[in-house]
Every structure is written in C-alpha cells, then in structure tokens.
Amino acid sequence: MDLASVNEELAEIDGQIGDILRALQNGFQKLEKIKDANRRSRQLEELTDKMRDCKRLIKDFERVSKDEAGHTDPTTAKMLHDRKQSMIKELNSYVALKKQQASENKRIDLFDGPSVEDGFGEENVLLASNMTNQQLMDQGNQLMDETDQAIARSKQTVQETVNVGTETAAALKAQTEQMSRVVNELDSIHFSIKKASQLVKEIGRQVATDRCIMAMLFLIVAGVIAIIIVKIVNPHNKDIPDIPGLAPPVSRRLLR
C-alpha cells in the first residue's frame, strides 16, 4: 500500500527516513575501510548525527500514525505499525554497529598509540618484543614513578590553590570589617553634621533676636536725644514734653 494514499505527511517522513537509513548503510561501509583513528572518529560523529535525525523522524512518523488511527481501517493501522517497527529495528542495528565501531576505535587509540603511517606504533611493538622481562618491569616501574611524581605535583598545586583561596577569604573578611567601620564612621559624621546644623539655626535665631533688641534700643536712644536737642533749641515749645530732671536747669541757663 502506498503511504501517499493514506497521508502525504507520512509518505514524506517515510522517504526522509529511508534516505537516512541508506546513508547510514553507506557510511558504515566506508567506515570499515578507514584505518586512521581520527578519521574514524569524525565519521562516527557524522553517523551519530544522522541516527539522531532518524530517531526524531521515527517519532514524527509515530505521532502522525496515531493521529490517522481513528480515520483508517485496521489493516492500514497494522501496516503503519509494522512499518514503524521495521524502521526502529533497522535503526537499532545501526546503533549497535556504531557502539561496536566506537569500542574498536577506542581500543585502537589505547593500544596502537600513534599512527602506523608514521612508523612509531610498529617501532614500539618491536622494541617491546625485544625487551626482557626485567627490562619491561623496570620500564613499568619508571612509568609508575613518573605517574607518582605527576600526582605529587598535582597535589601541591591543589594545596597552593587552597592556600591562595584561604588568604583571599581572609583578605575579603578584613576588607568587609573595614568597610563596616567606615560606614559606622560615616553615620557618626552625618549625625554630627545634623546636630551642627541645628545649632547653627538656633544661633541664627538668637542673633536675629539680639539684633531686633539692639535696633529697638537704638531707636529709643535716638528718640531721647532728639527730644533733648529740640528742647534745648526751643525751650518754650509746649508740644514737646519735659524730660524729668533735665528741662528746668536748661531753661535757667537760657534765661541767664
């Protein structure tokens, strides 16, 4: 049965899945011919991406199939289910093949060492075959000593890092306490400035009051002096009141 007659979207998804599965088949065939570990790793990464795309498309196929389940007959529904299971089975076979190739690639990286094309891997094998058991043990002990030294250096680096972290934490704590003291001093200064402002305002009010009193006294003294002057100049002016204890002697001096 043609999937296009059931659902065009299902037919399109099925075509995309078929293209990816064929690409996976060709990719794994090429992978078997590749000997270089780096090229094999890149090829496996590309195949892994294709398998992810295939898994996503199979989920889309399943979703659309479920949507069409209520509009199709049991025979068509069974056909769609079998088609999905077939695609899942084929994809799982490629997943297992990918795991196998990945493990083989890892084994090549661990035991073969550098590429044989450079001649180093074959040379190492020949050297190891020509060494005696004692030489192999000495070589192993030397490698273990180098490993222990590397671990000791790593521990020293970690300890130095911890010490630097401790010193940094202590410095930050001291700076925090200093900042707290500065904040407290700023609060005290602000309070002192506020009190000083209040005192300045009170002093200003007192000065204003004193100025008013001085002005009134000045006016009173000026008035008295003016009356005395007028009284001396015009003693017979009755509109000007006599100043007690001062007018009669002045009048007597004028009569003389």
Side-chain angles (χ1 to χ4, degrees):
M1 180 182 293
D2 187 10
L3 288 177
S5 61
V6 179
N7 187 289
E8 294 183 357
E9 186 178 0
L10 278 175
E12 183 180 357
I13 295 173
D14 183 73
Q16 293 177 359
I17 293 173
D19 293 339
I20 292 176
L21 292 175
R22 284 189 294 272
L24 288 173
Q25 182 180 4
N26 296 330
F28 279 106
Q29 289 177 356
K30 292 180 181 178
L31 184 64
E32 294 178 355
K33 300 178 182 179
I34 298 174
K35 301 301 181 182
D36 183 67
N38 293 328
R39 291 180 57 193
R40 289 174 63 89
S41 298
R42 288 194 295 269
Q43 182 71 10
L44 280 175
E45 289 177 359
E46 295 177 0
L47 294 174
T48 302
D49 293 337
K50 290 183 183 297
M51 284 186 282
R52 291 196 187 100
D53 295 337
C54 185
K55 182 179 180 181
R56 176 180 55 80
L57 290 171
I58 291 175
K59 288 183 178 179
D60 293 339
F61 186 90
E62 182 180 9
R63 174 180 55 79
V64 178
S65 299
K66 289 181 179 179
D67 294 338
E68 290 292 327
H71 308 288
T72 58
D73 55 278
T75 303
T76 303
K78 185 176 183 304
M79 184 270 294
L80 294 176
H81 177 74
D82 293 340
R83 177 58 182 160
K84 183 193 72 172
Q85 293 298 326
S86 175
M87 291 185 294
I88 292 174
K89 183 177 180 180
E90 188 173 358
L91 178 60
N92 287 336
S93 66
Y94 288 123
V95 171
L97 187 59
K98 178 253 180 182
K99 292 181 179 179
Q100 179 182 355
Q101 294 293 338
S103 62
E104 291 180 359
N105 194 35
K106 186 180 295 184
R107 182 170 56 83
I108 290 173
D109 291 339
L110 290 174
F111 295 101
D112 284 358
S115 176
V116 178
E117 296 176 358
D118 297 333
F120 294 110
E122 185 176 358
E123 182 181 356
N124 290 334
V125 173
L126 292 175
L127 288 175
S129 62
N130 293 328
M131 294 174 66
T132 62
N133 292 334
Q134 184 63 37
Q135 290 174 339
L136 289 173
M137 292 179 62
D138 294 339
Q139 184 71 19
N141 292 331
Q142 182 180 356
L143 291 175
M144 292 178 63
D145 292 338
E146 293 176 356
T147 304
D148 292 338
Q149 293 175 3
I151 293 174
R153 289 193 297 269
S154 300
K155 289 182 178 180
Q156 183 179 0
T157 303
V158 171
Q159 186 62 38
E160 292 176 355
T161 304
V162 172
N163 294 335
V164 171
T166 303
E167 294 175 358
T168 303
L172 288 174
K173 183 178 180 181
Q175 292 178 359
T176 303
E177 294 176 352
Q178 185 177 1
M179 290 296 296
S180 300
R181 290 194 296 270
V182 170
V183 170
N184 293 332
E185 292 177 358
L186 288 176
D187 292 339
S188 301
I189 293 172
H190 178 70
F191 179 76
S192 300
I193 292 174
K194 187 175 181 180
K195 292 294 291 183
S197 299
Q198 293 177 355
L199 290 174
V200 169
K201 290 180 181 178
E202 292 178 0
I203 292 172
R205 287 195 293 267
Q206 291 178 0
V207 170
T209 304
D210 294 341
R211 287 180 178 176
C212 292
I213 295 173
M214 292 295 293
M216 291 178 63
L217 291 175
F218 176 77
L219 291 175
I220 293 172
V221 172
V224 172
I225 292 173
I227 293 172
I228 292 172
I229 293 172
V230 172
K231 196 68 175 176
I232 293 172
V233 174
N234 190 5
H236 300 291
N237 190 352
K238 296 181 179 181
D239 293 332
I240 301 173
D242 293 334
I243 299 174
L246 181 62
V250 174
S251 299
R252 287 194 295 270
R253 284 197 299 270
L254 291 175
L255 291 175
R256 293 177 183 174

